[in-house]
Structure formats: structure tokens, C-alpha cells
Amino acid sequence: MAGWEQNVRKVIPYVPGEQPRQEGIIKLNTNENPYPPAPGVARALKEMNPEQFRLYPDPTASLLVNALAGRYGLSSDQIFVGVGSDDVLAMAFLTFFHGTKPILFPDITYSFYDVWADLYRIPYQCQPLDETFCIRPEDYEQENGGIVLANPNAPTGVAASLETLRRILEKNRDVIVIIDEAYIDFGGESAVSLIPSYDNLLVVQTFSKSRSMAGMRIGYAMGQSRLIQYLNDVKYSFNSYTMSQASLRLGTEAVEEEAYFSEVTNKIIATRERVKKELTRLGFVFPDSKGNFIFASHPGISAQELFEALKRENIYVRYFPKPRIQDYLRITVGTDSQMDILLSFLEDYTQSCFK
Ligand code: PMP
């Protein structure tokens, strides 16, 4: 090791899902939305004048912050925005998890949490989900330095009830509890309604899934104004201009088209429920997902082999070779026609396995 390497901050990075670019693939591996963003986004994009890019964007991101405040019935000082919810979550870890006690999150969850904890040298402890992939609220009643829960959880899709979250919040008034609601718009119960009751609750959401804008990188956090102030203090100590002018303008358009948002999310929910029935018919088992994906396993079929076979057919899904979940594939809910192609392949594949 070179001398200077001793002073390098060494980390084992998060591995994002593949982003294959070839034509004709069915991409069900990173939980993107198969439908385009709201029509107003395309209109606003056409109206954009590159001349304005000479100037720095508004560091307070007020256009987008105000639109989100209106949408969620909060005030502008209760909203923080960032470059995707990954940026918002990373900033929240840096801001709120600065103690010596371990932060807690489930053993099976979004695999970025332990990466940020390692990056910032935050001690952490993983609490095992039960055998049905549900969180056990009693596991979050011990001393800790903070809590992070994805709800619905990833990659399982399992949603915790507001009652469960309230119970956890009640027992943890002295630490920050982050609820990562990346997938909340597909049927879960949002913890936003609990914000007035808990000054230690931070709810994080994203434009990447329900608003079809993963490529624009927009995420946001909602909480009482003191939390948002602390987040902004860290943000302004790091990078004042996180949000590009394009993200601010186009994101605002997306928030304002509520009817389109409901139409798209309802369509995905309907497809998900139909695919659940079909997968059950083919012998797959899965926890009941409230996300835009299904975490499916088939007794007697190797998930890894199926993952490879799907890839050969240009159907990309996500496989996690990790303890407890190595028999599962996470399948994003695409359009009905994409799911029909997937299901027809699975029908043939399962038949050939059990001939
Ligand atoms: N949280 C969870 C649970 C996720 O699955 C993802 C998507 N990978 C994110 C946060 C981050 O999404 P984004 O940065 O696109 O908002």
C-alpha cells in the first residue's frame, strides 16, 4: 500500500442495478416507472431557454419546495430537496446520526443504508425481519442512535402500518427516525400525517418511481422545521447548489399534475395485482408487495438460474445473492404488455422445469 493510501477514506460502495442501453430489452431491474412523466414536464422542457443556464440555480430551490409544501399541506420550511432521495438520505445520515450508539435498520432492506453508515463511520446494528419479512417493532425499543426504515420496504415490498410506525416513534422520542417512502405512492400509508406529532420524524420521498423522473434526480424530505433547518445547515456546508435549474422547473411541473399522478400510480397498482395472481398460478410465492415491484421466489427453481435465463431473453430483473434472499428475484412492475411477455416466458420456463 502506498503511504498516502493509509489516509484514504476506504469504502465498499453500493452497487446500483445495471443500466443496459440496448434497444428492445424489458427493463424490470431498477424499479423505474414504465410510463412517461406528466405531460406538463415535456411542455416545460420545450419552453426552457439554455440562456438561463448561465446563472446558478436558486440555492433554496423555492419553486419546487413551495410546490411540494402545497401538495403535502406543509409549510415551505418543512421541506428539504436533494438530488434524488439517495442524496437526501445521505445528507440525513450525515446530519442526524452523529452519536456513539448504533443506528438500527432491518437486516433485509435498502442496501445503501449500511454503505452510508460505513462511509460516515456511524455504528449500526441490523435487526432481523421476521420470517414473513415483517419488522418486529419490539426490536426497535432498545437504546440506539437513530432508526431508518424503508416503508414499503425494499426489496421485499412489505409495508408496515402507521400503527407500527407510531409505536416505534413513541419508544424513540430522543433519536431521529427516518422513514424512507420511495415506494409509498403504490399503496402504503404515508407517515407524513405523523409529522405534526413527532419532532424527530423525517419522511423521505422521491420523484424516481411514482413521478417517472429517475433521470432527473429529485428527492425530498419532510419534517418539522427544526429538522429541515439542520439538514439545510449541512447542505450549505457541503454544496449550496444541489438542484439544477432543470430539476427545479421540471419537478415543479410534475407535482402540479395530480390527476396524471393518480392515473399512473393506479395503473401500476392494477398491473401489480394482476401479475401477483398470475405468478401465484405459476407456483411463485412472494410477500404482499405495496411497491412497484414484486419479490418472488419459486420452490424448486433456482432464482439465480432464472435470473440468467431471463437475461438471455433480454428481460432484466434484480437478483441479490445475499443470505435469506438468494432464492428471490425482485421484478419491477412494467407496462401490461411487458408483464405479459415476462409471464409467458415464466409459464414456459416453469413447465420445462417440472416436465
Ligand atoms: N430508497 C429506496 C428504498 C430505494 O429503493 C431507492 C431506489 N434505489 C432510493 C431510496 C433512492 O432513489 P432515488 O435516489 O432515485 O430517489
Side-chain angles (χ1 to χ4, degrees), residues 147-160:
I147 293 174
V148 193
L149 298 170
N151 191 40
N153 198 8
T156 62
V158 173

Side-chain angles (χ1 to χ4, degrees), residues 242-269:
T242 51
M243 306 301 289
S244 72
Q245 284 186 17
S247 305
L248 294 177
R249 176 82 183 83
L250 303 181
T252 302
E253 286 299 328
V255 179
E256 281 163 2
E257 289 196 54
E258 194 61 30
Y260 181 83
F261 167 81
S262 304
E263 182 192 323
V264 165
T265 47
N266 285 331
K267 210 149 60 169
I268 290 171
I269 292 169

